[in-house]
């Protein structure tokens, strides 16, 4: 697909990977891009592995299949690393972002020798600190937006606030927690990307 990006999400039923993919498609659409956000249908029981996808492009999207060679992969549950080949087809010019409290070096052995960029974020910690519960999809949504560069930070944050204000109109206390989770995760990953790029330039 020219002039666009493809993202594959790996998670478990109930963790919100599908919701994150749909939200990312929604905010990208509002910034004038063509989008797709959809799950791979299968048994969506609680805890079962699920896969979801995004296509986002400045041009009309004419392909409607699953994504087999994504630019980016987001792993919402690190336990999937032992049972799912999350790097399958992942372009080495892209990146993978993993929800984990572990260091990057501890994760690499699960990535089948992947040579592209690898970013980790403790989405559980961020969501518990900002929302009081483990909702990893909110920080992972921000992390995916940061890594993919699908839109400027200001546009992403603004559109997500508008989305939350609509979704949680009767629960305004939820909005600020979600926004704090988004901003914290986005900035943490953006800092890691900046550090990574600086390291590559000096190499």
């Amino acid at each position: 697909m020219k002039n666009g990006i493809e993202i594959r999400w790996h998670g478990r039923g109930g963790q919100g990977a599908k919701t994150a993919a749909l939200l990312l498609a929604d905010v990208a659409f509002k910034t004038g891009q063509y989008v797709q956000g959809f799950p791979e249908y299968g048994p969506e029981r609680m805890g079962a592995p699920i896969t979801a996808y995004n296509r986002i492009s400045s041009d009309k999207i004419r392909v409607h299949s699953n994504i087999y060679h994504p630019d980016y992969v987001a792993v919402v549950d690190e336990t999937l690393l032992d049972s799912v080949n999350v790097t399958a087809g992942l372009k080495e010019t892209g990146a993978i972002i993993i929800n984990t409290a572990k260091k990057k070096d501890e994760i690499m052995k699960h990535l089948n020798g992947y040579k592209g960029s690898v970013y980790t974020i403790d989405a559980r910690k961020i969501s518990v600190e900002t929302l009081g519960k483990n909702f990893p999809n909110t920080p992972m949504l921000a992390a995916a937006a940061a890594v993919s560069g699908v839109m400027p930070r200001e546009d992403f944050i603004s559109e997500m606030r508008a989305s939350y204000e609509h979704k949680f109109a009767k629960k305004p206390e939820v909005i600020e927690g979600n926004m704090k989770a988004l901003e914290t995760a986005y900035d943490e990953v953006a800092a890691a990307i900046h550090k990574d790029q600086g390291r590559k330039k000096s190499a």
Side-chain angles (χ1 to χ4, degrees):
M1 185 179 71
K2 294 181 179 179
N3 301 319
I5 62 166
E6 295 181 320
I7 303 172
R8 187 174 68 221
W9 297 79
H10 293 282
R12 294 187 184 277
Q15 293 178 329
K18 179 175 75 172
T19 300
L22 296 177
L23 272 171
L24 185 59
D26 186 50
V27 295
F29 176 76
K30 289 177 179 176
T31 63
Q33 302 185 75
Y34 293 94
V35 303
Q36 290 179 358
F38 58 97
E40 181 174 339
Y41 289 101
E44 291 189 34
R45 64 186 183 277
M46 187 71 71
I50 66 108
T51 310
Y53 305 94
N54 282 119
R55 286 190 177 94
I56 300 171
S57 177
S58 58
D59 297 331
K60 286 186 177 180
I61 302 171
R62 304 188 185 280
V63 60
H64 297 279
S65 64
N66 287 350
I67 293 171
Y68 302 104
H69 298 284
D71 299 285
Y72 305 98
V73 165
V75 181
V76 182
D77 189 320
E78 69 174 304
T79 65
L80 292 169
L81 298 178
D82 293 321
S83 57
V84 176
N85 183 6
V86 296
T87 58
L90 176 58
K91 296 175 183 175
E92 294 195 350
T93 52
I96 183 169
I97 177 83
I98 302 161
N99 170 24
T100 180
K102 296 176 182 175
K103 298 283 181 62
K104 177 180 171 181
D105 292 345
E106 298 177 72
I107 292 296
M108 294 303 296
K109 62 185 178 183
H110 299 283
L111 301 183
N112 303 305
Y114 179 62
K115 304 295 185 185
S117 297
V118 178
Y119 299 102
T120 62
I121 185 168
D122 193 343
R124 180 186 185 282
K125 179 183 177 183
I126 291 173
S127 64
V128 169
E129 289 178 348
T130 57
L131 297 165
K133 294 182 180 179
N134 182 19
F135 292 129
N137 64 326
T138 299
M140 287 300 291
L141 169 60
V147 170
S148 64
V150 69
M151 67 188 77
R153 180 190 187 279
E154 295 74 17
D155 292 349
F156 173 72
I157 295 300
S158 175
E159 292 297 344
M160 284 305 303
R161 177 174 286 280
S163 177
Y164 284 143
E165 287 176 347
H166 175 74
K167 182 178 180 181
F168 300 119
K170 296 182 179 179
K171 295 182 179 180
E173 69 279 4
V174 176
I175 297 170
E176 292 309 317
N178 275 283
M179 294 308 303
K180 182 63 175 176
L182 287 172
E183 292 174 5
T184 299
Y186 193 105
D187 292 344
E188 184 175 315
V189 173
I193 293 169
H194 182 72
K195 184 177 180 181
D196 194 34
Q197 291 173 340
R199 190 183 302 116
K200 289 177 180 177
K201 286 181 180 178
S202 62

